Amino acid sequence: LQNGDEVAASRWYSAAKHRSVRLTNSSLAGIAIAAARKGKLDFSKSIVEDGHKMGLNFSVATYVSLAQEASKKGLIEETQSWQQLSQQHGLAPDVRLFEAVLMAVAAAATADVATADASAPDQPAEVARRCFQEAKQKRVKLRLKTFNALIDAVGKHEGLKAAERTFAKVIEEGLRPDRVTFTMMVNVAAKSRDLQSAEGWFRAAQEAGIQADLVMYTALLDAAAKAGRADLADEWFQEL
């Protein structure tokens, strides 16, 4: 797997099984996660399925790692399958699995068509909202990172208004938006070519006592560039 040779890895794995080598849940989890990191998702899934047939149980951390690897590639259905499989095997709902689905939705907006889950039947933003509602219904303790992931997901697919509605939920929940939250809002505004809103969110971050970093400034400069306001870009660049 380290060399990306799935065929050889599969052959060695089959040989181990046929020789009755004792395979533990931790060893199978390690192989599955390594395969997922190399993009060998089908092989990864077959390893976990074998483990279940052997009567082995995997930890929630294993499912989280597998879901996160799928989410990085924008594979929404694959990420959801790991979340659902963990619950089917009796594990309590984990906020990190829900966040992985939200991150998969966001990644699908920018991932290569060849790797993103473009064939998924549902609209990505709707998948994100349903995932979020399911987490609430199952009384999963939501954290700011969960909301940030939702802002990123709906913002990339539906634009600024959807992101702003999600930001309002952050306040309703009594959470304090952080630098990541505001940077995402500035970024969504920039992508929507709404320079006024981008600057407004940037100033709102400053008023909240949040020191802008390079990522937030870059999002703001991007908004100015998209609006053809090189003069503002120069002005803000001087603040860096």
Side-chain angles (χ1 to χ4, degrees), residues 147-194:
F147 286 89
N148 287 344
L150 183 61
I151 288 172
D152 195 27
V154 300
K156 283 179 176 173
H157 288 278
E158 293 186 337
L160 184 58
K161 294 299 181 186
E164 288 177 337
R165 287 193 294 272
T166 306
F167 183 90
K169 293 178 191 272
V170 175
I171 306 304
E172 289 171 11
E173 291 288 331
L175 297 172
R176 186 168 181 259
D178 63 5
R179 183 182 291 109
V180 173
T181 316
F182 282 106
T183 299
M184 285 180 173
M185 294 306 303
V186 174
N187 193 49
V188 172
K191 297 285 191 250
S192 301
R193 297 180 181 275
D194 189 335

Side-chain angles (χ1 to χ4, degrees), residues 27-80:
S27 62
L28 287 182
I31 296 170
I33 293 168
R37 285 175 180 159
K38 288 292 182 180
K40 313 300 182 183
L41 299 177
D42 287 340
F43 183 46
S44 177
K45 188 165 285 187
S46 71
I47 296 293
V48 173
E49 288 172 352
D50 279 352
H52 289 147
K53 289 174 185 175
M54 295 175 197
L56 299 176
N57 295 314
F58 296 96
S59 69
V60 70
T62 298
Y63 291 105
V64 169
S65 295
L66 292 166
Q68 288 173 342
E69 291 303 323
S71 75
K72 292 173 187 176
K73 299 172 179 63
L75 297 171
I76 300 170
E77 289 187 327
E78 185 80 25
T79 308
Q80 286 179 302

Side-chain angles (χ1 to χ4, degrees), residues 100-119:
V101 174
L102 296 176
M103 289 187 283
V105 171
T110 52
D112 188 290
V113 175
T115 58
D117 207 350
S119 62

Side-chain angles (χ1 to χ4, degrees), residues 121-133:
D122 296 319
Q123 291 296 319
E126 187 56 34
V127 171
R129 277 190 286 270
R130 278 209 310 270
C131 172
F132 184 81
Q133 287 305 317

